[in-house]
Amino acid sequence: MIEIELGLEDVARTRFAISPLWEVVASVRVLKGADEHGLHRTWAEQVRPRLATADLDLRPLFDLVPVPTRSPWAGRVPGFICPPPTTPLPSLDVELATVRATPSALLHTTAEVPPARMAALRADPAAELGRLADVLETYWELALAPYWSRILTLLEGDIRYRAGRLVEGGAQHLFADLDAQVTWAAGTLHLEHRTVRGARRLDGRGLLLVPSAFVWPRVFSVLNEPWQPSLRYPPRAVGTLWHTQPATVSDALAGVLGRSRATLLTELTAPASTTGLARRTGLTPGGVSQHLTALRTAGLVSAHRAGREVLYARTRAGEIVVEAAGSGSPPSTTRV
């Protein structure tokens, strides 16, 4: 059990953030077997062939993300590969710049990383960190970018909910249902852990709360210098992340976009290629391409290179439009 002592200054400085870089690392754990319950099976089944087709050397990344075999509680992720974000929602480029600039003094870990990988990093930090950042970026484009709108909607929804809890009842109310492994009592957070024990003081640095789509059923903590003390926890409703409803085109949406474009936007519950969309909708590949171009120009669809094909996905704006058309009223878009 880890006891995280929060003083008044720590409570005052507690904040939320979302980290694209951490989602990369956590999703690699899933691909390496840390998803015994199959929560992310749909995503993994789509991504694994895509990564294989791309013929990408993922070892600089995968070597640094060990997955324990003894217990879901054992094993650690090196801190330097995914430092906590310093802003509420940094871009991946900003986080990768931090990785590239990692001081050589921080290139150490107690995680089960191949010694040769750590030796290479320490021997030539600039070159190896640059190579690692390039692999992280390429992996992101293949495995996460097409799904990011959906993931971001889930994470932002959790932050809105928890901000409301904080307003309603203070820190105790905020932490009451954060996760079953976390409890709050008398100014102290108790975090269940099978291998680490003892008290940790934050000394006025505050606590960073980072909802993460790929961590369930674990909670990851970052409590050592020089990084911001952080908890990476599963967001509410994470079990529904990959659930999709049968595509039913709203007449209201068709009235605004036209039937074909409304059909394509509705069908994009998961990233898809032009060929795949043509097969599912009965439209010609040329027609699909033309309509997707129009939707992309309007900011409702994004395109992502995935190996030899291009995948299209709904943007944040596209998700909001489909949601609004389906419910008959505009959704809340308040950000925290």
Side-chain angles (χ1 to χ4, degrees):
M1 177 76 72
I2 302 175
E3 299 173 353
I4 305 173
E5 300 175 6
L6 280 78
L8 291 177
E9 193 68 20
D10 297 311
V11 174
R13 293 187 176 183
T14 292
R15 63 185 180 88
F16 291 91
I18 292 170
S19 172
L21 179 58
W22 169 251
E23 294 305 313
V24 167
V25 172
S27 71
V28 169
R29 293 186 75 257
V30 168
L31 292 179
K32 292 185 71 174
D35 187 30
E36 296 178 358
H37 299 85
L39 180 65
H40 301 290
R41 182 181 295 114
T42 297
W43 169 83
E45 288 176 347
Q46 294 175 16
V47 167
R48 282 196 177 99
R50 198 177 301 153
L51 293 173
T53 302
D55 194 25
L56 175 67
D57 182 5
L58 293 170
R59 287 175 297 176
L61 170 58
F62 276 44
D63 283 352
L64 292 172
V65 187
V67 175
T69 56
R70 291 171 295 146
S71 162
W73 297 86
R76 298 180 179 181
V77 175
F80 63 82
I81 193 179
C82 50
T86 57
T87 59
L89 180 53
S91 67
L92 181 68
D93 288 343
V94 167
E95 293 193 287
L96 290 181
T98 301
V99 171
R100 289 188 174 97
T102 302
S104 57
L106 296 182
L107 297 178
H108 58 81
T109 182
T110 57
E112 298 176 1
V113 174
R117 180 62 59 194
M118 292 304 303
L121 280 164
R122 287 191 288 263
D124 192 349
E128 290 300 316
L129 287 171
R131 183 184 178 198
L132 171 61
D134 290 344
V135 173
L136 284 162
E137 185 175 22
T138 303
Y139 174 91
W140 162 270
E141 289 297 331
L142 292 169
L144 285 186
Y147 304 88
W148 186 239
S149 177
R150 174 179 291 195
I151 294 171
L152 185 58
T153 297
L154 176 74
L155 302 183
E156 288 183 332
D158 185 83
I159 291 177
R160 285 195 296 271
Y161 168 79
R162 303 213 173 276
R165 298 273 292 180
L166 181 63
V167 170
E168 291 169 4
Q172 182 175 4
H173 204 48
L174 165 64
F175 292 116
D177 67 343
L178 188 78
D179 191 88
Q181 300 161 54
V182 178
T183 55
W184 167 272
T188 300
L189 272 183
H190 300 266
L191 174 61
E192 293 182 15
H193 203 293
R194 292 185 180 180
T195 61
V196 180
R197 300 286 186 275
R200 301 289 190 276
R201 294 179 58 88
L202 301 188
D203 297 323
R205 292 176 293 163
L207 185 65
L208 179 64
L209 300 173
V210 184
S212 172
F214 290 95
V215 297
W216 186 87
R218 288 193 57 176
V219 173
F220 282 78
S221 60
V222 179
L223 299 173
N224 297 325
E225 298 279 4
W227 295 290
Q228 169 77 49
S230 308
L231 290 184
R232 293 153 170 163
Y233 66 92
R236 298 171 70 249
V238 66
T240 67
L241 180 59
W242 308 117
H243 291 182
T244 59
Q245 299 295 330
T248 302
V249 181
S250 162
D251 289 337
L253 188 60
V256 174
L257 299 179
R259 179 65 59 178
S260 295
R261 290 174 187 174
T263 298
L264 291 172
L265 193 61
T266 304
E267 282 285 340
L268 284 174
T269 54
S273 65
T274 300
T275 303
L277 288 168
R279 183 170 57 249
R280 281 154 44 186
T281 62
L283 298 170
T284 66
V288 169
S289 179
Q290 182 180 9
H291 291 311
L292 288 174
T293 298
L295 291 170
R296 187 180 179 187
T297 301
L300 301 179
V301 164
S302 57
H304 308 271
R305 172 68 61 178
R308 298 188 184 93
E309 64 180 355
V310 175
L311 296 179
Y312 293 88
R314 289 199 295 242
T315 62
R316 176 78 166 147
E319 295 282 358
I320 291 172
V321 166
V322 172
E323 179 186 345
S327 65
S329 60
S332 171
T333 58
T334 302
R335 288 177 178 263
V336 176

